[in-house]
Structures are given as structure tokens and as C-alpha cells.
Amino acid sequence: VIQRHNNIYSKDKIIDFSLPDRWDWSYSIGFLSEKSTISAIEYSVLYNVNKHSEFYGSIGSFFVINDISSGYKYYFKNKSTPSIFISLGSHISIAASSQEGMTIYGISISPGKKMEYNGKLYNLGISFMLMGESNVTPSFGAIPFIGFERRF
């Protein structure tokens, strides 16, 4: 049946029906991140849409702040090479202190560039965020990020 379908519709091109390996993991260490906006260390699960884009879910931490985020990242070149990218995401952060905790939620747009230095890939850019607390008017801010990222 598949061969007949290929003969009729592919015009001498063979259609590959196998599922590609779409799931990856990554971790990032650095100052903040485009995925988990408030984090020094982050772990992510990635769903690879194609060579240029992915959906992600991340867990990150920055001292007493823990962060959970999800979003979409698009690379203007192949994502396994140095490339300019943009990330669109949402996050929930919990800041714990000795007195009481604080929950912060937000959305971010993060343009950046993946660069190679000494055989390692680094992400550098700026996150534009709209963040707020439960009963407080959201505020807008911009924070730079830089970090080493490893995919596996």
C-alpha cells in the first residue's frame, strides 16, 4: 500500500513515514536564561518541531527563586549551529524567604544569539518581560542573559 502511494503521489520521491527523534533534554548554566527567565541553572525537555524550532518546558533556580516555564523557540538558522533566535514563553516563579514566599508570573519575548566559543555553545541576549504578582499590577522589564547550554 505504501509503495503504491509513493508511486502515485511522490513523483519519484520516496515518502518517509518513520517518526523522527523529536525529544531532547538540555541544561543551562549562567546568568538568567531565555527559557527559564529567572535562573542560574536550568533543566529543559525539548520537543523538536524541525531544524529551526522547538517547544520547551523548563525548571530553573536562582538562589531562593525557583522557576517553571514553557514556551516556543525559533532559530533563524539550524539550531545545532551558531544562530540568531527568538523565544516566546511564560513562567511562574516562587521566591522563598525566611518570612514569607512570593509567587511571580509572567510572559517574555527573548531575542538572542547562540554563539560558539572553544567548542561550546553559549546563548546571549535580552529578555523583555511582563511580570506581576497576584494582587499587583504587572510591570514591564528587560534583563540580559548569558549562559552555556548543552543538549543531550
Side-chain angles (χ1 to χ4, degrees), residues 72-98:
Y72 174 78
K73 191 171 177 181
Y74 180 81
Y75 297 85
F76 291 92
K77 291 183 181 179
N78 188 332
K79 61 184 157 186
S80 60
T81 62
S83 175
I84 295 173
F85 63 82
I86 189 160
S87 177
L88 309 170
S90 63
H91 71 275
I92 296 174
S93 303
I94 298 170
S97 67
S98 60

Side-chain angles (χ1 to χ4, degrees), residues 31-33 37 124-127 142-146:
F31 179 72
L32 309 179
S33 170
T37 310
L124 174 68
I126 189 161
S127 290
I143 299 176
F145 61 86
I146 185 168

Side-chain angles (χ1 to χ4, degrees), residues 6-17:
N6 284 341
N7 290 339
I8 294 171
Y9 296 107
S10 69
K11 307 232 189 259
D12 297 328
K13 294 181 184 177
I14 297 174
I15 299 172
D16 184 10
F17 287 100

